[in-house]
Amino acid sequence: MSRDPARRKIIRDACSVSITVGAYGVAFGAASVAAGFSVLQSCLLSLLAFTGGSQFAAISVVASGGTAGAAVAAATMLGLRNTLYGVRLAPLFSRAGWRRVAAAQVTIDESTAMALAQEPQGQEAMVAAFWWTGLGVFVGWNACTLLGALAAHALNNPAAFGLDAAVPAAFLALLWPRLANRRAQVTAAGGFSLALLLTPVLPPGLPIVATATVAIAMGWPP
Amino acid sequence: MTTPTTTWAVVGGTAALSFTLKYLGYRVPQRWFSNPRAQRILHLLPIALLGALVAVGTFVASTSVVLDQRAAGLAAALVAVWRRAPFPVVVLVAAVTSALCYHLTS
């Protein structure tokens, strides 16, 4: 389509990111159905919430027997980083209107990272990378959620297919690249231990939410 | 145990709040998030929660800490991420290991 090689590279990168993220989508769809959500509900979560970490968090709190409130609280805390992404990208979409609303919906880890990577190439390249990645991942994520949900719906014992272990493995894969320094590693270990310590004393779901205190304690000192 | 009321509330609540959080970023003044302490805490928040989600997803059944086939799945996933395996491999390795242990022990 585009004869401009820089633009072609943006599109190529966006496509490869979208395909990779699709794999998470299959895992989400399958895990969501295994957690007790219907195929329709799983697809609506991917269409409307469209932020993988939060979606996984919500369904796994429900799977562990937690309340809707605890599930939404865990999802919200994982989605807070999208607010920071919006703050970074706001100068690209300063005009009010449906375009900014659509931009907000596809503001996620991948679209933000690809847009910011184009910063030296100027605003136009950033906007192109943002839309190609955001919309590409949107399509891939939703199509694959449906596939995963249908596949899991066809099975009926999640443990027999290892789906129960697929969810923590997905969280581990999301967590691993964030453990770049000592403070991050101690925070992750703290969250891990505190959740297990609180499990016997708090209702399901709340031990996860309570680990926000670890982030506050670890982030407080300079 | 999981009622449709619960799951629909989770779908509605997560969808509404996820979009609100995204849109808020485009509307709030930039200086709100420029405080370094707030930046550090917001950066560490997903790390603490993901750590907790790994723990609960692997070692918790209802309100007790248990050791079952999921631990074997997680151990396999740990080797996979440590060897820099791509995401689908990490999840698949965990699922296959856990399923094998499930069938061997039941």
Short mmCIF file of all heavy atoms in Angstrom, two decimals, chain A residues 102-159:
data_model
loop_
_atom_site.label_atom_id
_atom_site.label_comp_id
_atom_site.label_asym_id
_atom_site.label_seq_id
_atom_site.Cartn_x
_atom_site.Cartn_y
_atom_site.Cartn_z
N ALA A 102 -12.04 7.20 20.66
CA ALA A 102 -11.53 5.96 20.09
C ALA A 102 -10.07 5.74 20.50
O ALA A 102 -9.66 4.62 20.82
CB ALA A 102 -11.67 5.98 18.57
N ALA A 103 -9.30 6.82 20.50
CA ALA A 103 -7.89 6.72 20.90
C ALA A 103 -7.80 6.23 22.34
O ALA A 103 -6.98 5.37 22.66
CB ALA A 103 -7.19 8.08 20.75
N ALA A 104 -8.67 6.76 23.21
CA ALA A 104 -8.65 6.34 24.61
C ALA A 104 -8.90 4.84 24.72
O ALA A 104 -8.21 4.13 25.44
CB ALA A 104 -9.70 7.11 25.42
N GLN A 105 -9.88 4.33 23.95
CA GLN A 105 -10.22 2.91 24.05
C GLN A 105 -9.05 2.01 23.64
O GLN A 105 -8.87 0.93 24.21
CB GLN A 105 -11.48 2.59 23.22
CG GLN A 105 -11.90 1.13 23.21
CD GLN A 105 -12.32 0.60 24.59
OE1 GLN A 105 -12.14 1.25 25.61
NE2 GLN A 105 -12.87 -0.59 24.61
N VAL A 106 -8.22 2.42 22.68
CA VAL A 106 -7.10 1.57 22.26
C VAL A 106 -5.77 2.01 22.90
O VAL A 106 -4.70 1.67 22.41
CB VAL A 106 -6.98 1.45 20.72
CG1 VAL A 106 -8.21 0.77 20.14
CG2 VAL A 106 -6.75 2.79 20.05
N THR A 107 -5.87 2.77 24.01
CA THR A 107 -4.66 3.16 24.75
C THR A 107 -4.29 2.03 25.71
O THR A 107 -4.90 1.86 26.75
CB THR A 107 -4.91 4.46 25.54
OG1 THR A 107 -5.22 5.50 24.60
CG2 THR A 107 -3.67 4.87 26.33
N ILE A 108 -3.29 1.22 25.30
CA ILE A 108 -2.86 0.06 26.08
C ILE A 108 -1.33 0.00 26.04
O ILE A 108 -0.70 0.82 25.38
CB ILE A 108 -3.46 -1.24 25.50
CG1 ILE A 108 -3.24 -1.29 23.98
CG2 ILE A 108 -4.94 -1.36 25.82
CD1 ILE A 108 -3.51 -2.62 23.35
N ASP A 109 -0.75 -0.99 26.70
CA ASP A 109 0.72 -1.14 26.73
C ASP A 109 1.33 -1.05 25.33
O ASP A 109 2.25 -0.27 25.09
CB ASP A 109 1.11 -2.51 27.31
CG ASP A 109 0.73 -2.67 28.78
OD1 ASP A 109 0.78 -1.67 29.50
OD2 ASP A 109 0.40 -3.80 29.18
N GLU A 110 0.79 -1.87 24.41
CA GLU A 110 1.44 -2.03 23.11
C GLU A 110 1.34 -0.77 22.25
O GLU A 110 2.34 -0.33 21.67
CB GLU A 110 0.81 -3.22 22.35
CG GLU A 110 1.06 -4.57 22.98
CD GLU A 110 0.15 -4.88 24.16
OE1 GLU A 110 -0.81 -4.09 24.40
OE2 GLU A 110 0.38 -5.89 24.85
N SER A 111 0.13 -0.17 22.16
CA SER A 111 -0.03 1.01 21.29
C SER A 111 0.80 2.17 21.83
O SER A 111 1.40 2.94 21.06
CB SER A 111 -1.50 1.40 21.16
OG SER A 111 -2.07 1.59 22.44
N THR A 112 0.87 2.29 23.17
CA THR A 112 1.64 3.38 23.77
C THR A 112 3.13 3.18 23.50
O THR A 112 3.83 4.12 23.09
CB THR A 112 1.39 3.43 25.30
OG1 THR A 112 -0.01 3.52 25.52
CG2 THR A 112 2.08 4.62 25.92
N ALA A 113 3.61 1.94 23.72
CA ALA A 113 5.03 1.67 23.52
C ALA A 113 5.43 1.94 22.07
O ALA A 113 6.47 2.55 21.80
CB ALA A 113 5.34 0.22 23.89
N MET A 114 4.59 1.51 21.11
CA MET A 114 4.93 1.69 19.69
C MET A 114 4.90 3.17 19.32
O MET A 114 5.73 3.65 18.53
CB MET A 114 3.96 0.89 18.82
CG MET A 114 4.05 -0.60 19.05
SD MET A 114 5.47 -1.35 18.24
CE MET A 114 4.81 -1.57 16.61
N ALA A 115 3.93 3.93 19.87
CA ALA A 115 3.85 5.36 19.57
C ALA A 115 5.07 6.08 20.14
O ALA A 115 5.71 6.89 19.45
CB ALA A 115 2.56 5.95 20.15
N LEU A 116 5.43 5.78 21.39
CA LEU A 116 6.56 6.48 22.02
C LEU A 116 7.88 6.11 21.34
O LEU A 116 8.81 6.93 21.28
CB LEU A 116 6.61 6.18 23.52
CG LEU A 116 5.42 6.71 24.33
CD1 LEU A 116 5.53 6.34 25.80
CD2 LEU A 116 5.27 8.23 24.19
N ALA A 117 7.96 4.90 20.80
CA ALA A 117 9.19 4.49 20.10
C ALA A 117 9.41 5.32 18.85
O ALA A 117 10.53 5.45 18.35
CB ALA A 117 9.12 3.00 19.75
N GLN A 118 8.33 5.91 18.29
CA GLN A 118 8.44 6.71 17.07
C GLN A 118 8.71 8.18 17.36
O GLN A 118 8.75 9.00 16.43
CB GLN A 118 7.13 6.61 16.26
CG GLN A 118 6.84 5.23 15.70
CD GLN A 118 7.86 4.81 14.67
OE1 GLN A 118 8.34 5.63 13.89
NE2 GLN A 118 8.23 3.54 14.68
N GLU A 119 8.90 8.52 18.65
CA GLU A 119 9.05 9.93 19.03
C GLU A 119 10.09 10.69 18.20
O GLU A 119 9.82 11.81 17.75
CB GLU A 119 9.35 10.04 20.54
CG GLU A 119 8.80 11.32 21.14
CD GLU A 119 8.57 11.21 22.66
OE1 GLU A 119 9.09 10.27 23.29
OE2 GLU A 119 7.86 12.07 23.19
N PRO A 120 11.28 10.09 17.95
CA PRO A 120 12.28 10.84 17.17
C PRO A 120 11.82 11.13 15.73
O PRO A 120 12.32 12.06 15.11
CB PRO A 120 13.50 9.89 17.14
CG PRO A 120 13.26 8.89 18.22
CD PRO A 120 11.79 8.78 18.39
N GLN A 121 10.87 10.35 15.21
CA GLN A 121 10.40 10.52 13.83
C GLN A 121 9.29 11.59 13.72
O GLN A 121 8.83 11.87 12.62
CB GLN A 121 9.88 9.20 13.26
CG GLN A 121 10.96 8.32 12.63
CD GLN A 121 11.92 7.76 13.66
OE1 GLN A 121 11.50 7.19 14.66
NE2 GLN A 121 13.21 7.93 13.43
N GLY A 122 8.86 12.11 14.86
CA GLY A 122 7.86 13.17 14.83
C GLY A 122 6.45 12.69 15.10
O GLY A 122 6.17 11.49 15.14
N GLN A 123 5.55 13.69 15.27
CA GLN A 123 4.18 13.41 15.70
C GLN A 123 3.40 12.53 14.73
O GLN A 123 2.65 11.65 15.14
CB GLN A 123 3.42 14.73 15.88
CG GLN A 123 3.74 15.43 17.18
CD GLN A 123 2.53 16.11 17.77
OE1 GLN A 123 1.47 16.20 17.16
NE2 GLN A 123 2.66 16.63 18.99
N GLU A 124 3.61 12.78 13.42
CA GLU A 124 2.81 12.04 12.44
C GLU A 124 3.10 10.54 12.51
O GLU A 124 2.18 9.71 12.48
CB GLU A 124 3.11 12.56 11.04
CG GLU A 124 1.98 12.33 10.07
CD GLU A 124 2.40 12.71 8.65
OE1 GLU A 124 3.08 13.74 8.50
OE2 GLU A 124 2.06 11.95 7.72
N ALA A 125 4.39 10.20 12.66
CA ALA A 125 4.78 8.79 12.78
C ALA A 125 4.24 8.20 14.08
O ALA A 125 3.80 7.04 14.11
CB ALA A 125 6.30 8.66 12.73
N MET A 126 4.24 9.00 15.16
CA MET A 126 3.72 8.51 16.44
C MET A 126 2.24 8.17 16.32
O MET A 126 1.79 7.12 16.78
CB MET A 126 3.91 9.56 17.54
CG MET A 126 5.35 9.77 17.96
SD MET A 126 5.50 11.09 19.19
CE MET A 126 4.96 10.24 20.68
N VAL A 127 1.49 9.06 15.68
CA VAL A 127 0.05 8.84 15.52
C VAL A 127 -0.20 7.59 14.67
O VAL A 127 -1.05 6.75 14.99
CB VAL A 127 -0.64 10.09 14.92
CG1 VAL A 127 -2.08 9.79 14.55
CG2 VAL A 127 -0.56 11.25 15.89
N ALA A 128 0.58 7.44 13.58
CA ALA A 128 0.41 6.27 12.71
C ALA A 128 0.70 4.98 13.48
O ALA A 128 -0.09 4.03 13.43
CB ALA A 128 1.34 6.37 11.50
N ALA A 129 1.80 4.95 14.23
CA ALA A 129 2.16 3.75 14.99
C ALA A 129 1.10 3.45 16.03
O ALA A 129 0.74 2.29 16.26
CB ALA A 129 3.52 3.94 15.66
N PHE A 130 0.56 4.50 16.65
CA PHE A 130 -0.46 4.33 17.67
C PHE A 130 -1.71 3.66 17.09
O PHE A 130 -2.21 2.66 17.61
CB PHE A 130 -0.83 5.68 18.29
CG PHE A 130 -1.96 5.59 19.28
CD1 PHE A 130 -1.71 5.19 20.59
CD2 PHE A 130 -3.26 5.88 18.91
CE1 PHE A 130 -2.76 5.09 21.50
CE2 PHE A 130 -4.31 5.77 19.82
CZ PHE A 130 -4.05 5.38 21.11
N TRP A 131 -2.21 4.21 15.96
CA TRP A 131 -3.45 3.67 15.38
C TRP A 131 -3.25 2.27 14.82
O TRP A 131 -4.07 1.38 15.04
CB TRP A 131 -3.99 4.59 14.29
CG TRP A 131 -4.70 5.81 14.81
CD1 TRP A 131 -4.36 7.10 14.55
CD2 TRP A 131 -5.85 5.86 15.67
NE1 TRP A 131 -5.23 7.95 15.20
CE2 TRP A 131 -6.15 7.22 15.89
CE3 TRP A 131 -6.65 4.89 16.28
CZ2 TRP A 131 -7.22 7.64 16.69
CZ3 TRP A 131 -7.71 5.30 17.07
CH2 TRP A 131 -7.98 6.67 17.27
N TRP A 132 -2.17 2.05 14.06
CA TRP A 132 -1.96 0.72 13.47
C TRP A 132 -1.86 -0.34 14.56
O TRP A 132 -2.44 -1.42 14.46
CB TRP A 132 -0.71 0.69 12.59
CG TRP A 132 -0.96 1.22 11.21
CD1 TRP A 132 -0.62 2.45 10.73
CD2 TRP A 132 -1.62 0.54 10.14
NE1 TRP A 132 -1.03 2.58 9.43
CE2 TRP A 132 -1.63 1.43 9.03
CE3 TRP A 132 -2.19 -0.73 9.99
CZ2 TRP A 132 -2.21 1.09 7.80
CZ3 TRP A 132 -2.75 -1.07 8.76
CH2 TRP A 132 -2.76 -0.16 7.69
N THR A 133 -1.10 -0.03 15.64
CA THR A 133 -0.93 -1.01 16.71
C THR A 133 -2.22 -1.15 17.52
O THR A 133 -2.68 -2.27 17.78
CB THR A 133 0.22 -0.60 17.66
OG1 THR A 133 1.35 -0.26 16.87
CG2 THR A 133 0.59 -1.73 18.59
N GLY A 134 -2.80 -0.02 17.90
CA GLY A 134 -4.01 -0.07 18.74
C GLY A 134 -5.14 -0.81 18.05
O GLY A 134 -5.76 -1.71 18.64
N LEU A 135 -5.41 -0.47 16.79
CA LEU A 135 -6.52 -1.12 16.09
C LEU A 135 -6.18 -2.56 15.72
O LEU A 135 -7.03 -3.44 15.80
CB LEU A 135 -6.89 -0.31 14.83
CG LEU A 135 -7.45 1.09 15.15
CD1 LEU A 135 -7.71 1.87 13.85
CD2 LEU A 135 -8.75 0.99 15.96
N GLY A 136 -4.92 -2.82 15.35
CA GLY A 136 -4.50 -4.19 15.03
C GLY A 136 -4.66 -5.11 16.23
O GLY A 136 -5.22 -6.21 16.12
N VAL A 137 -4.19 -4.64 17.39
CA VAL A 137 -4.30 -5.46 18.61
C VAL A 137 -5.78 -5.62 18.97
O VAL A 137 -6.20 -6.69 19.40
CB VAL A 137 -3.51 -4.82 19.78
CG1 VAL A 137 -3.82 -5.51 21.09
CG2 VAL A 137 -2.01 -4.89 19.50
N PHE A 138 -6.58 -4.58 18.77
CA PHE A 138 -8.02 -4.66 19.08
C PHE A 138 -8.67 -5.80 18.28
O PHE A 138 -9.39 -6.63 18.84
CB PHE A 138 -8.71 -3.32 18.76
CG PHE A 138 -10.13 -3.25 19.26
CD1 PHE A 138 -10.39 -2.99 20.60
CD2 PHE A 138 -11.20 -3.45 18.40
CE1 PHE A 138 -11.70 -2.94 21.07
CE2 PHE A 138 -12.50 -3.40 18.86
CZ PHE A 138 -12.75 -3.14 20.21
N VAL A 139 -8.37 -5.84 17.00
CA VAL A 139 -8.95 -6.89 16.15
C VAL A 139 -8.43 -8.27 16.58
O VAL A 139 -9.21 -9.21 16.80
CB VAL A 139 -8.62 -6.63 14.66
CG1 VAL A 139 -9.02 -7.82 13.79
CG2 VAL A 139 -9.33 -5.36 14.18
N GLY A 140 -7.10 -8.39 16.74
CA GLY A 140 -6.50 -9.68 17.11
C GLY A 140 -6.99 -10.18 18.47
O GLY A 140 -7.36 -11.34 18.62
N TRP A 141 -7.01 -9.28 19.42
CA TRP A 141 -7.39 -9.63 20.79
C TRP A 141 -8.83 -10.13 20.85
O TRP A 141 -9.14 -11.13 21.49
CB TRP A 141 -7.20 -8.41 21.69
CG TRP A 141 -7.62 -8.56 23.11
CD1 TRP A 141 -8.72 -8.02 23.68
CD2 TRP A 141 -6.94 -9.28 24.15
NE1 TRP A 141 -8.77 -8.35 25.01
CE2 TRP A 141 -7.69 -9.12 25.33
CE3 TRP A 141 -5.76 -10.03 24.18
CZ2 TRP A 141 -7.32 -9.70 26.53
CZ3 TRP A 141 -5.39 -10.60 25.38
CH2 TRP A 141 -6.17 -10.44 26.54
N ASN A 142 -9.73 -9.44 20.16
CA ASN A 142 -11.15 -9.80 20.21
C ASN A 142 -11.45 -11.08 19.44
O ASN A 142 -12.21 -11.93 19.91
CB ASN A 142 -12.02 -8.64 19.75
CG ASN A 142 -12.19 -7.60 20.83
OD1 ASN A 142 -12.87 -7.83 21.82
ND2 ASN A 142 -11.52 -6.47 20.68
N ALA A 143 -10.84 -11.22 18.25
CA ALA A 143 -11.06 -12.44 17.48
C ALA A 143 -10.56 -13.65 18.26
O ALA A 143 -11.23 -14.69 18.32
CB ALA A 143 -10.35 -12.34 16.13
N CYS A 144 -9.40 -13.51 18.90
CA CYS A 144 -8.80 -14.64 19.61
C CYS A 144 -9.51 -14.94 20.92
O CYS A 144 -9.56 -16.09 21.35
CB CYS A 144 -7.31 -14.40 19.84
SG CYS A 144 -6.39 -14.44 18.29
N THR A 145 -10.08 -13.91 21.55
CA THR A 145 -10.89 -14.15 22.75
C THR A 145 -12.05 -15.07 22.40
O THR A 145 -12.33 -16.05 23.10
CB THR A 145 -11.46 -12.83 23.32
OG1 THR A 145 -10.39 -11.99 23.74
CG2 THR A 145 -12.38 -13.09 24.51
N LEU A 146 -12.71 -14.77 21.27
CA LEU A 146 -13.84 -15.60 20.84
C LEU A 146 -13.39 -17.04 20.60
O LEU A 146 -14.03 -17.99 21.07
CB LEU A 146 -14.47 -15.00 19.58
CG LEU A 146 -15.62 -15.79 18.95
CD1 LEU A 146 -16.79 -15.90 19.93
CD2 LEU A 146 -16.09 -15.15 17.65
N LEU A 147 -12.26 -17.19 19.89
CA LEU A 147 -11.72 -18.54 19.62
C LEU A 147 -11.47 -19.30 20.91
O LEU A 147 -11.90 -20.45 21.06
CB LEU A 147 -10.39 -18.42 18.87
CG LEU A 147 -10.44 -18.35 17.35
CD1 LEU A 147 -9.02 -18.25 16.80
CD2 LEU A 147 -11.13 -19.59 16.80
N GLY A 148 -10.77 -18.66 21.85
CA GLY A 148 -10.42 -19.31 23.11
C GLY A 148 -11.66 -19.66 23.91
O GLY A 148 -11.75 -20.75 24.51
N ALA A 149 -12.64 -18.72 23.93
CA ALA A 149 -13.86 -18.95 24.70
C ALA A 149 -14.65 -20.12 24.12
O ALA A 149 -15.15 -20.97 24.87
CB ALA A 149 -14.71 -17.68 24.72
N LEU A 150 -14.74 -20.18 22.80
CA LEU A 150 -15.47 -21.28 22.16
C LEU A 150 -14.78 -22.61 22.42
O LEU A 150 -15.43 -23.62 22.70
CB LEU A 150 -15.59 -21.03 20.65
CG LEU A 150 -16.55 -19.92 20.24
CD1 LEU A 150 -16.51 -19.71 18.73
CD2 LEU A 150 -17.98 -20.23 20.70
N ALA A 151 -13.43 -22.60 22.35
CA ALA A 151 -12.68 -23.84 22.58
C ALA A 151 -12.91 -24.34 24.00
O ALA A 151 -13.19 -25.52 24.22
CB ALA A 151 -11.20 -23.61 22.33
N ALA A 152 -12.83 -23.41 24.99
CA ALA A 152 -12.99 -23.82 26.39
C ALA A 152 -14.43 -24.25 26.66
O ALA A 152 -14.68 -25.13 27.49
CB ALA A 152 -12.61 -22.68 27.33
N HIS A 153 -15.38 -23.60 25.95
CA HIS A 153 -16.79 -23.94 26.11
C HIS A 153 -17.04 -25.38 25.67
O HIS A 153 -17.88 -26.08 26.22
CB HIS A 153 -17.63 -22.97 25.29
CG HIS A 153 -19.10 -23.07 25.56
ND1 HIS A 153 -19.65 -22.70 26.77
CD2 HIS A 153 -20.12 -23.51 24.80
CE1 HIS A 153 -20.95 -22.93 26.72
NE2 HIS A 153 -21.26 -23.41 25.55
N ALA A 154 -16.26 -25.82 24.68
CA ALA A 154 -16.43 -27.17 24.15
C ALA A 154 -15.88 -28.22 25.13
O ALA A 154 -16.34 -29.35 25.15
CB ALA A 154 -15.74 -27.30 22.79
N LEU A 155 -14.89 -27.81 25.93
CA LEU A 155 -14.38 -28.72 26.95
C LEU A 155 -15.23 -28.50 28.19
O LEU A 155 -16.02 -27.59 28.24
CB LEU A 155 -12.92 -28.38 27.29
CG LEU A 155 -12.02 -27.99 26.14
CD1 LEU A 155 -10.73 -27.38 26.65
CD2 LEU A 155 -11.73 -29.20 25.28
N ASN A 156 -15.10 -29.32 29.25
CA ASN A 156 -15.81 -28.89 30.45
C ASN A 156 -15.11 -29.07 31.78
O ASN A 156 -15.61 -28.64 32.79
CB ASN A 156 -17.23 -29.47 30.51
CG ASN A 156 -17.21 -30.96 30.30
OD1 ASN A 156 -16.19 -31.58 30.53
ND2 ASN A 156 -18.34 -31.53 29.87
N ASN A 157 -13.92 -29.65 31.77
CA ASN A 157 -13.19 -29.74 33.04
C ASN A 157 -11.86 -29.01 32.87
O ASN A 157 -10.91 -29.55 32.31
CB ASN A 157 -12.98 -31.21 33.41
CG ASN A 157 -12.21 -31.36 34.71
OD1 ASN A 157 -11.83 -30.37 35.33
ND2 ASN A 157 -11.98 -32.60 35.11
N PRO A 158 -11.78 -27.75 33.34
CA PRO A 158 -10.58 -26.94 33.09
C PRO A 158 -9.30 -27.59 33.58
O PRO A 158 -8.28 -27.54 32.88
CB PRO A 158 -10.84 -25.65 33.87
CG PRO A 158 -12.25 -25.70 34.34
CD PRO A 158 -12.80 -27.07 34.10
N ALA A 159 -9.34 -28.24 34.76
CA ALA A 159 -8.11 -28.82 35.31
C ALA A 159 -7.56 -29.93 34.41
O ALA A 159 -6.36 -30.12 34.30
CB ALA A 159 -8.36 -29.35 36.71
#
